[in-house]
Amino acid sequence: SGGTGLTISSGDDFTLTGASYNVVWDSSDSALEFADSAKAKFGASGDLLIYHDGTNSYIDEQGTGDLNIRSSATLRLQNASGTNFLYGTTGGEVVLYYDGNAKLSTASGGITVIGNIANSSGDMTIDVAGDLILDAAGNDVIFKDSGTTFGQITNDSGNMIIYNSGSQMLKGLSG
């Protein structure tokens, strides 16, 4: 003590006293404990900041470069109970989750969407460079407007049947 900003207390704890916030080495927890809004700064100009403001926690990259988070194996972003938000592997697979359930995953051949694709802001355009293949795994392809079916393509033993508003419009016979 004595104007240096460093206080060593019993139990081998010490406090670094700042103008507004303190940092304590708590030897019983084996932890460096930052008060709310006290920042851990990294880089010559404080390019990277890690802190908690009493409500939210932050990792701020404020320098000229990128923020890179690396892992030699799996990278997961999870909530406090361990439920995944995002999961990535060194092989390139990335999975996005909603409420702990996988919704979109990447693979070498493209992406897999688990569930519905919705666009609430207007028209949706699917722009493809080659063929557009709808594979309903032997089931129907159904066209809806505001939840009401207005068209359907059915596979009937290899014959394609097209319906409009419930009425058969065209039947293509195989062979």
Side-chain angles (χ1 to χ4, degrees):
S1 192
T4 63
L6 174 64
T7 304
I8 299 176
S9 59
S10 63
D12 297 326
D13 291 353
F14 67 85
T15 302
L16 300 171
T17 305
S20 301
Y21 311 106
N22 298 336
V23 177
V24 175
W25 169 256
D26 185 339
S27 61
S28 64
D29 283 344
S30 296
L32 191 58
E33 298 172 353
F34 291 75
D36 286 347
S37 298
K39 296 177 172 97
K41 290 185 175 184
F42 301 87
S45 300
D47 300 325
L48 176 66
L49 305 174
I50 300 175
Y51 62 99
H52 179 78
D53 69 3
T55 304
N56 298 301
S57 299
Y58 299 89
I59 300 173
D60 285 345
E61 163 51 50
Q62 297 187 353
T64 58
D66 298 329
L67 175 64
N68 298 297
I69 300 172
R70 297 179 181 188
S71 172
S72 62
T74 300
L75 176 66
R76 291 183 177 97
L77 297 178
Q78 299 178 326
N79 68 15
S81 66
T83 301
N84 287 336
F85 297 134
L86 181 138
Y87 170 91
T89 67
T90 55
E93 176 191 24
V94 175
V95 182
L96 298 176
Y97 292 80
Y98 177 82
D99 197 22
N101 298 302
K103 293 299 175 183
L104 186 135
S105 65
T106 64
S108 62
I111 64 168
T112 300
V113 176
I114 301 98
N116 297 323
I117 300 173
N119 179 4
S120 60
S121 63
D123 295 340
M124 179 183 292
T125 301
I126 300 173
D127 191 2
V128 296
D131 296 333
L132 176 61
I133 299 171
L134 298 175
D135 184 354
N139 297 313
D140 297 341
V141 176
I142 298 172
F143 301 90
K144 292 185 176 187
D145 183 17
S146 300
T148 303
T149 299
F150 68 87
Q152 181 174 348
I153 301 173
T154 301
N155 177 4
D156 180 25
S157 301
N159 298 309
M160 182 174 72
I161 304 172
I162 299 176
Y163 294 90
N164 184 5
S165 299
S167 299
Q168 182 176 320
M169 303 303 292
L170 177 66
K171 182 175 186 175
L173 302 174
S174 62

